[in-house]
């Protein structure tokens, strides 16, 4: 039952209000009569003193004032001489009850027998006494003050009031308060339930929204228009939802970047391992040849063919030199120190010069070119020379017997600028190999035989240089006009 804040709030409110009503009832039962008597005595005394201060007055005025006093205070008022003779009473007549006569006699007996009482009466502003009627135990309150009638303080004004009306009023109020307590308890319980539901309804909504936030469900919320603390909490929850959604989206994007970095790290680690393996393989073969032929010469195995052995050793040394040069070039293009010396130069002329350097390398190949004249670009001329040489070398190396290499350079500045295409045929690369063509030491020849004389680093160097320039490039399988399958390398100098 008390797990619900609605029930808790209703219960606590009912208990608090009920406790307040109960305390009020206890006060009425135990102290109200005494409190009422004290208030009545004080009022009677103050009104009697005020009556005694009004002088001089005619007999008619005296009687009228006495009647007004009695009506106002629900008490009897008598004017006596100092000797105890009655001078004035109200216009109601002489109907004086026996208890009042008894009290008046007792009062005058106290004055006659006790000089201290007399001194207190005439020496100060007056006295107050409480008398109890012995037969029925009724309490009476008497107040007496000196009053001037014919001379200063020649008379005594005595007010007598019964406490019976006070007791009856107190008893009536006590009985009424019991019903008031029961009715108040019922009304309080009903109001507490209604109010608690009104208060907890928005709290239940906030709890529901908070539960959605806990499950990372960031749906749009209608912000409360309330201006109280619940409204402030609702707006804070809305702001929290928005901030958490942004933070989660940012975290997801960073996780994706982190995952990409980890994948890239794994890829680089694999490339590093492959690089070490490949470079070991590439160096192992020429070193073994050099070592074998050198030992043959030293051991005198060959005498007449020593020049041939030395020629093989020289060729392998040159291959190792070329490999090391390519490795240094690749390492440089991948380092932060790699920079470009941008200048404007004639690309058509550079392609023609590079093409001429490769003519005659393979007698069985035909090199055809369609070079658009005077095509100028802004790039690093030295680095672009390396790119062109590696592309042509790769095309010549991986073209079949009696094949053809076609070189074309077009220029359409209104569309996309100069485009270089180098196509060699017959040649073919599988789609899987096309994805790895830019990887270091990748060779189409899986057995890694050295019949082609390629280090496998040329296209990696080309990729780094073109990426640094920001040029677009690509390689694909094509079919030439004569129906032969070939490989086309494209560079867009945009």
């Amino acid at each position: 039952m008390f797990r619900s804040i609605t029930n808790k709030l209703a219960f606590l409110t009912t208990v608090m209000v009920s406790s307040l009503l109960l305390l009020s009832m206890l006060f009425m039962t135990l102290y109200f009569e005494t409190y009422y008597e004290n208030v009545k005595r004080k009022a009677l005394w103050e009104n009697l003193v005020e009556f005694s201060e009004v002088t001089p007055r005619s007999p008619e005025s005296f009687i009228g004032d006495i009647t007004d006093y009695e009506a106002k205070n629900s008490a009897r008022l008598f004017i006596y001489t100092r000797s105890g003779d009655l001078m004035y009473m109200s216009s109601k007549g002489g109907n004086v009850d026996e208890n009042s006569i008894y009290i008046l006699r007792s009062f005058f007996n106290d004055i006659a027998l006790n000089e201290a009482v007399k001194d207190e009466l005439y020496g100060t502003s007056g006295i107050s006494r409480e008398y109890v009627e012995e037969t029925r135990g009724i309490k009476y309150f008497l107040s007496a003050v000196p009053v001037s009638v014919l001379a200063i303080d020649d008379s005594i004004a005595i007010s007598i009031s019964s406490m019976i009306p006070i007791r009856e009023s107190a008893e009536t109020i006590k009985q009424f308060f019991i019903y008031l307590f029961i009715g108040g308890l019922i009304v309080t319980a009903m109001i507490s339930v209604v109010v608690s539901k009104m208060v907890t309804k928005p709290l239940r909504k906030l709890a529901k929204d908070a539960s959605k936030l806990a499950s990372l469900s960031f749906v749009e919320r209608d912000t409360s228009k309330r201006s109280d603390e619940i409204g402030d909490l609702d707006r804070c929850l809305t702001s929290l939802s928005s901030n958490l959604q942004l933070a989660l989206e940012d975290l997801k994007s960073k996780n994706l970047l982190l995952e990409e970095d980890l994948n890239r790290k794994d890829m680089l680690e694999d490339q590093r391992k492959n690089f070490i393996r490949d470079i070991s393989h590439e160096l192992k073969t020429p070193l073994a040849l050099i070592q074998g032929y050198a030992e043959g010469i030293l051991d005198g195995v060959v005498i007449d063919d020593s020049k041939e052995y030395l020629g093989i050793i020289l060729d392998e040394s040159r291959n190792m030199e070329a490999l090391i040069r390519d490795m240094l070039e690749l390492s440089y293009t991948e380092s932060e120190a790699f920079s470009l010396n941008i200048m404007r130069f004639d690309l058509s002329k550079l392609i023609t010069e590079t093409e001429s350097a490769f003519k005659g390398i393979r007698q069985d190949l035909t090199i055809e070119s369609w070079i658009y004249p005077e095509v100028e670009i802004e790039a690093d001329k030295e680095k672009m020379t390396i790119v062109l040489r590696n592309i042509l070398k790769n095309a010549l190396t991986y073209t079949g017997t009696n094949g053809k290499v076609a070189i074309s350079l077009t220029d359409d500045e209104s569309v996309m600028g100069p485009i270089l295409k180098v196509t060699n045929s017959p040649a073919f690369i599988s789609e899987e190999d096309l994805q790895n063509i830019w990887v270091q030491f990748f060779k189409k020849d899986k057995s890694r035989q050295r019949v082609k004389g390629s280090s496998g680093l040329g296209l990696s160097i080309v990729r780094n240089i073109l990426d640094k320039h920001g040029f677009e490039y690509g390689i694909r399988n094509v079919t030439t006009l004569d129906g032969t399958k070939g490989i086309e390398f494209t560079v867009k100098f945009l």
Side-chain angles (χ1 to χ4, degrees), residues 23 42 64 150 201 341 361 450 458:
L23 290 175
K42 183 178 180 182
L150 301 177
K201 182 178 179 180
N341 181 22
I361 292 181
R450 303 184 65 255

Side-chain angles (χ1 to χ4, degrees), residues 5-6 9 194-210 221-222 224-226 228-234 237:
I5 189 172
T6 302
L9 185 59
V194 174
V195 172
S196 61
K197 287 185 177 180
M198 292 175 60
V199 172
T200 56
K201 182 178 179 180
L203 292 179
R204 288 196 299 269
K205 180 178 178 296
L206 291 176
K208 184 178 180 182
D209 293 341
R221 305 178 64 254
D222 295 328
S224 174
K225 296 181 180 179
R226 299 172 61 123
D228 54 9
E229 290 81 357
I230 294 179
D232 294 338
L233 178 59
D234 186 56
L237 199 60

Side-chain angles (χ1 to χ4, degrees), residues 256-455:
L256 290 176
L257 293 176
L258 180 59
E259 186 177 357
E260 291 177 359
D261 289 341
L262 292 176
N263 292 336
R264 188 180 298 109
K265 181 179 178 181
D266 293 339
M267 183 184 67
L268 292 175
E269 179 66 16
D270 292 340
Q271 290 181 358
R272 183 188 67 82
K273 292 178 180 178
N274 292 335
F275 179 83
I276 294 174
R277 183 193 64 226
D278 292 338
I279 193 64
S280 300
H281 185 278
E282 292 294 333
L283 291 176
K284 179 180 179 181
T285 300
L287 283 175
L289 289 174
I290 292 173
Q291 181 179 359
Y293 284 108
E295 288 176 352
I297 294 174
L298 289 175
D299 294 341
V301 175
V302 292
I303 299 176
D304 298 334
D305 297 333
S306 60
K307 290 185 178 181
E308 181 181 354
Y309 277 37
L310 290 175
I312 293 174
I313 292 173
L314 181 61
D315 289 340
E316 294 301 327
S317 299
R318 288 172 178 170
N319 289 335
M320 290 180 61
E321 180 186 11
L323 175 61
I324 293 172
R325 184 171 60 249
D326 288 344
M327 289 174 56
L328 292 175
E329 185 67 33
L330 177 64
S331 176
Y332 172 65
T333 58
E334 291 179 343
S335 69
E336 295 182 357
F338 179 55
S339 60
L340 301 176
N341 181 22
I342 303 298
M343 65 177 65
R344 191 166 187 84
F345 62 91
D346 190 340
L347 178 62
S348 302
K349 182 179 180 181
L350 180 61
I351 294 176
T352 301
E353 293 174 352
T354 306
E355 175 193 353
S356 300
F358 281 89
K359 284 184 177 180
I361 292 181
R362 286 188 60 179
Q363 300 296 327
D364 61 322
L365 296 183
T366 301
I367 300 178
E368 297 178 352
S369 60
W370 297 271
I371 309 299
Y372 195 89
E374 299 181 355
V375 176
E376 294 187 350
I377 62 170
E378 290 186 357
D380 189 317
K381 185 176 182 180
E382 181 181 351
K383 301 300 187 297
M384 292 310 301
T385 302
I386 296 175
V387 168
L388 293 173
R389 287 179 178 176
N390 284 338
I391 291 175
L392 290 176
K393 179 182 178 182
N394 190 78
L396 293 172
T397 302
Y398 290 97
T399 301
T401 305
N402 299 321
K404 180 176 65 175
V405 176
I407 305 171
S408 69
L409 176 65
T410 59
D411 185 20
D412 190 350
E413 296 182 356
S414 62
V415 179
M416 57 183 63
I419 297 178
L420 170 66
K421 292 183 179 181
V422 178
T423 306
N424 58 303
S425 61
F428 176 78
I429 302 178
S430 67
E431 293 300 321
E432 179 183 358
D433 291 340
L434 281 176
Q435 303 298 322
N436 300 317
I437 200 70
W438 310 105
V439 178
Q440 304 162 359
F441 290 108
F442 175 79
K443 291 184 179 181
K444 183 173 176 293
D445 180 12
K446 300 300 181 181
S447 64
R448 304 193 61 87
Q449 298 299 319
R450 303 184 65 255
V451 296
K452 301 295 183 181
S454 171
S455 67

Side-chain angles (χ1 to χ4, degrees), residues 124-176:
T124 60
S125 58
I127 61 174
S128 296
R129 288 290 184 269
E130 186 179 287
Y131 294 92
V132 180
E133 193 272 323
E134 296 179 355
T135 304
R136 292 180 293 175
I138 300 174
K139 187 185 299 183
Y140 288 87
F141 181 68
L142 181 145
S143 298
V145 295
V147 64
S148 301
V149 178
L150 301 177
I152 296 176
D153 295 339
D154 61 341
S155 304
I156 304 171
I158 302 174
S159 171
I160 301 175
S161 176
S162 173
M163 296 292 107
I164 292 179
I166 296 177
R167 182 180 299 175
E168 292 177 348
S169 299
E171 290 296 330
T172 302
I173 292 175
K174 290 176 185 177
Q175 294 178 4
F176 171 76

